[in-house]
Amino acid sequence: MITVRVPAKVNVQLGVGGLRGDGFHDLANVFFAVALGDEVTARHGAGVTLTCAGPDAALVPLDDTNLAARAARLLAAHHGIEPNAALHIDKAVPVAGGMAGGSADGAAALVACDALWGLATPLPELLAIAAELGSDVPFALLGGVALGRGRGELLEPLEVAGTFHWVFAVADGGLSTPAVFRECDRLRERAGTGSSERDVPTPDADPALLAALAGGDPVALAAALGNDLQAAALSLRPALADCLAAGLAAGALGALVSGSGPTCAFLVKDALEAASVAAALTASGTCRTALPTHGPVPGARVITSADGESGRAD
Ligand code: ATP
């Protein structure tokens, strides 16, 4: 039995370029891995089977579309072996919340099955399989903080000093990532700026944001947070504005919609402030619950293996 812990992510910067001919957008995506995450356990089994537990478990598909099941099959196919694994997801990351929980489970299943089947797949090969599964999967393998370009899958690890503290406000119900990108294009067309590759400049990482990360400066990072999908998420879910305002009123240094939303992320000064902002947000009634956490943390890694040996858990 192998258990893997994997982080969720917040995009501290999400720059969205114009719509490409292939239907994707070029991104300048600064991924930041947080301690809030899922655990995926793999045991020997016949074929690929899947179970899931956690507050959002009912929303997780348990068929072959699940990214954890797809990851197990893809890894087995890569090595030309039969995919035999009983997978269990202990799910803490909100589903369809803009925190890439499904992608995280895909990355965790790759690492868990790799260990279960004794494959020792080199990291570059795992990263290539991860990129096949989805744009956000490679980052969940790496963790830390990284700049993603292209669709987000071309990753460059970034330098970060110290630990940053966060609160995540979990909404009732999710938002579809493709629907949020479509709304972003629609808002750009409506504003008259156009939404194609020709109309929108290629996004790049903000030097002020990179300096704030490298300097471990939460006040500077709060000032540089940016998400080009935020207007679209707010357009589809106007009540999120109340949640962002409630967190800022409670003392957060900065706030933004996480990825495509509807989870809202709040950067705070320290762990004490995280607890008080989370309590205020939960009491505000503007979200289902608010969870304090921190980062950056490493990517998907084995925390328990068959012999009961435990690794480090953040
Ligand atoms: P992203 O920000 O990467 O677009 P998200 O965090 O908004 O993703 P996810 O929780 O990853 O959203 O789930 C999006 C959809 O993916 C779900 O609605 C579900 O149908 C499907 N899905 C596939 N595998 C999983 C999984 N292991 N956990 C959750 N959802 C999954």
Side-chain angles (χ1 to χ4, degrees), residues 23 50 68 101 104 112 160 164-166 250 255 265 303 312 314:
L50 189 61
V160 189
F164 292 86
H165 294 270
W166 293 91
I303 55 166
R312 186 169 66 86
D314 281 297

Side-chain angles (χ1 to χ4, degrees), residues 189-251:
E189 288 296 335
R190 204 182 63 180
T193 50
S195 63
S196 79
E197 267 182 298
R198 291 180 308 281
D199 306 315
V200 185
T202 305
D204 210 348
D206 172 6
L209 180 111
L210 300 184
L213 289 166
D217 182 343
V219 174
L221 181 60
L225 293 172
N227 179 358
D228 284 352
L229 289 180
Q230 180 155 318
L234 288 171
S235 167
L236 294 175
R237 194 72 71 82
L240 292 181
D242 298 332
C243 182
L244 293 172
L248 289 170

Side-chain angles (χ1 to χ4, degrees), residues 9 60-61 65-67 89 91 94-103 105 136 177 260:
K9 59 83 183 167
V60 176
T65 65
N66 192 293
L67 278 164
I89 303 172
K91 192 137 196 77
V95 173
M99 297 187 74
S103 301
D105 298 342
D136 288 350
T177 304
S260 53

Side-chain angles (χ1 to χ4, degrees), residues 65-177:
T65 65
N66 192 293
L67 278 164
R70 287 185 52 211
R73 289 183 195 285
L74 214 52
L75 181 69
H78 179 79
H79 289 278
I81 61 173
E82 284 301 311
N84 289 321
L87 300 173
H88 177 75
I89 303 172
D90 219 331
K91 192 137 196 77
V93 181
V95 173
M99 297 187 74
S103 301
D105 298 342
L110 282 181
V111 172
C113 291
D114 187 62
L116 185 74
W117 298 334
L119 298 170
T121 311
L123 183 62
E125 281 177 40
L126 276 186
L127 285 168
I129 298 170
E132 244 183 274
L133 283 168
S135 317
D136 288 350
V137 185
F139 175 71
L141 279 181
L142 283 191
V145 181
L147 172 61
R149 292 175 191 277
R151 284 157 45 193
E153 80 286 12
L154 307 169
L155 286 177
E156 177 193 329
L158 294 175
E159 193 195 332
V160 189
T163 293
F164 292 86
H165 294 270
W166 293 91
V167 176
F168 287 89
V170 181
D172 270 322
L175 272 176
S176 144
T177 304

